[in-house]
Amino acid sequence: MGFIDTLKERAKANVKTIVLPETEDKRTLAATEKILKEGIAKVILVGNEEAVKKSAAEDGYDISGAQIVDPATSEKTQGYIDKLVELRQKKGMTPEQAKDILLNQYLYYGVMMVKMGDADGMVSGACHSTADTLRPCLQILKTKPGTKLVSAFFLMVVPNCEYGADGTFIFADSGLNQNPNPEELAAIAGSSADSFELLVEKEPIVAMLSHSTKGSAKSELTEKVIGATKLVKEKETNLMVDGELQLDAAIVPEIAASKAPDSPLKGEANVLIFPDLDAGNIGYKLVQRLAKAEAYGPLCQGIAKPVNDLSRGCSADDIVGVVAITAVQAQE
C-alpha cells in the first residue's frame, strides 16, 4: 500500500467534514466525486446549488453525496456575519462589509464554517494564491496555541528511493515564509517535526540545510542556520536534529560519514528545513519534476484548525490526497 493510500485509510477510520470552496474549478468537482466514492471525507461545497450541480453534470461528475451550501440562502450566514464582525471589529469591520465578504469570497465563508464547527477543515488553492488562502485563516482562525509562526511544507513521496523514510520527506518552508530569521527557522523545524510524526507515524529526523556542512563555509547565511539549529536543540531536547548540513550529508549515509562523522543524523534525515523560501520552493519542484515525486502541498502548520493550500498546477488526484491529509490532521 502506497503512502497516500495509508493516509486515506486513516481518514476513513474517523471520517471528517472538509469544505471545498473553489466550486468554480472543475478539478474540485472531479475530486469531490473521488473523495465521496472512496469514503475519505464528507464534503461541503460552497456556491450556488443550481450552478454547482450544472457544472458537475456537464462533465459527468457525481457529487450527489456532497452538501452544497449557498452563502446567499443559508440560514447560518447571518451567524457567520455576526461572528466575523466580532472577530474583526478592532480592524473596523462593519456588518455591511462582513456580509459583502462572505457572500462574494467563498474562501472566507469556508474558513468561517471551520471556525464555527460546521466543518473540520478546508482545502483551497487550486485557483487562488497561497496569500488568498491563508489571509482569512490568519484573520479568523489565528495560530495554534503554543505556536508563534504559521508555516508551509510539502509532503514528498519519492518513488524507488532509499533515502528518508522509504522515500517520504517533509520539505519546509516551501510555500510561505520568504526569509525566516533563526527564531522563525527554529519554529519551522519544530512544527515540521510534529507534522512528520503525525502524518508519517515515524520518528522525525531533522536536518537544517545549508550550502555548508559543519563550518565548511562561513557567511551570514550559514550563521543563520547554525543559530537556528542551536535554538531548536535548546527547545526540542528530545528531537533528533542537526545542522548546518549540505543536502547530501543530510540524507546519504556514506556522505554523512565523510562530511559530518559526528552528526547524530548519520545521513538519515527525513525532515528537510531549507534556509529560505527560494531554496525550499526550488527544491521541492526539482524533486517533483526530475524524480517524479508525489508532492502534496503547500500544507499548512501552526493554524488553530486544519486548512491546507494547493498548488495552482494541482490535479484532481492531488486535491483528493490533500483532503485525506487534512482529514488526518483534523483527527488530532
Side-chain angles (χ1 to χ4, degrees):
M1 182 181 292
F3 174 73
I4 203 67
D5 295 316
T6 301
L7 277 176
K8 288 179 180 179
E9 291 302 315
R10 290 172 63 190
K12 286 189 277 187
N14 181 7
V15 176
K16 297 298 181 181
T17 300
I18 306 300
V19 58
L20 303 177
E22 296 177 308
T23 49
E24 70 273 31
D25 194 296
K26 296 282 190 179
R27 291 169 294 177
T28 297
L29 305 179
T32 296
E33 180 183 55
K34 295 184 179 187
I35 293 161
L36 296 172
K37 186 176 181 180
E38 295 185 45
I40 296 167
K42 296 176 183 178
V43 177
I44 298 175
L45 299 171
V46 182
N48 176 271
E49 185 170 359
E50 182 180 350
V52 172
K53 287 182 175 179
K54 180 181 178 182
S55 181
E58 288 174 353
D59 290 283
Y61 299 132
D62 180 6
I63 61 167
S64 55
Q67 179 185 357
I68 302 174
V69 175
D70 185 347
T73 59
S74 173
E75 62 184 17
K76 293 191 175 183
T77 297
Q78 186 58 52
Y80 294 169
I81 292 170
D82 295 340
K83 186 64 174 180
L84 183 57
V85 171
E86 175 190 329
L87 292 169
R88 302 290 292 166
Q89 60 184 355
K90 291 183 179 179
K91 298 293 184 179
M93 180 71 71
T94 66
E96 293 75 20
Q97 290 171 331
K99 181 178 181 180
D100 181 67
I101 288 170
L102 292 174
L103 291 184
N104 295 291
Q105 299 185 45
Y106 290 169
L107 271 65
Y108 271 88
Y109 199 91
V111 171
M112 283 304 305
M113 296 189 85
V114 177
K115 176 69 175 180
M116 301 295 276
D118 295 318
D120 298 303
M122 186 181 87
V123 173
S124 178
C127 53
H128 289 87
S129 69
T130 295
D132 287 336
T133 295
L134 292 184
R135 189 178 302 109
C137 300
L138 297 175
Q139 292 177 356
I140 296 167
L141 298 176
K142 311 294 186 181
T143 55
K144 187 177 180 179
T147 303
K148 295 182 179 180
L149 182 72
V150 173
S151 56
F153 66 94
F154 272 82
L155 188 59
M156 306 294 295
V157 184
V158 187
N160 305 313
C161 179
E162 61 190 286
Y163 305 123
D166 298 320
T168 301
F169 297 86
I170 273 181
F171 286 18
D173 186 319
S174 300
L176 184 58
N177 294 285
Q178 290 190 351
N179 188 21
N181 61 36
E183 291 77 14
E184 292 168 336
L185 205 56
I188 292 166
S191 293
S192 299
D194 291 341
S195 293
F196 187 89
E197 191 168 14
L198 171 67
L199 296 174
V200 186
E201 296 186 301
K202 292 184 178 180
E203 181 188 6
I205 301 174
V206 183
M208 309 296 286
L209 297 182
S210 173
H211 69 280
S212 168
T213 294
K214 298 295 183 179
S216 64
K218 291 187 181 296
S219 70
E220 289 184 12
L221 299 176
T222 60
E223 288 302 316
K224 179 175 82 167
V225 177
I226 292 168
T229 303
K230 181 181 178 181
L231 291 171
V232 179
K233 288 182 176 180
E234 289 173 353
K235 184 177 180 181
E236 311 279 351
T237 54
N238 294 321
L239 181 62
M240 181 72 78
V241 57
D242 199 21
E244 86 284 21
L245 293 169
Q246 292 167 303
L247 187 279
D248 54 0
I251 68 169
V252 182
E254 296 82 5
I255 303 298
S258 172
K259 288 187 174 182
D262 297 326
S263 174
L265 306 192
K266 301 187 183 304
E268 297 179 345
N270 48 38
V271 178
L272 305 181
I273 306 302
F274 292 84
D276 58 37
L277 184 57
D278 281 340
N281 188 271
I282 292 166
Y284 101 77
K285 287 184 176 177
L286 274 172
V287 175
Q288 180 187 30
R289 300 302 177 184
L290 300 186
K292 309 299 182 186
E294 299 171 33
Y296 297 98
L299 305 170
C300 301
Q301 52 193 7
I303 302 173
K305 293 188 177 182
V307 174
N308 281 316
D309 193 15
L310 296 160
S311 168
R312 279 174 283 180
C314 69
S315 65
D317 285 336
D318 292 333
I319 298 174
V320 175
V322 173
V323 167
I325 291 167
T326 308
V328 170
Q329 289 175 321
Q331 290 173 354
E332 187 186 24

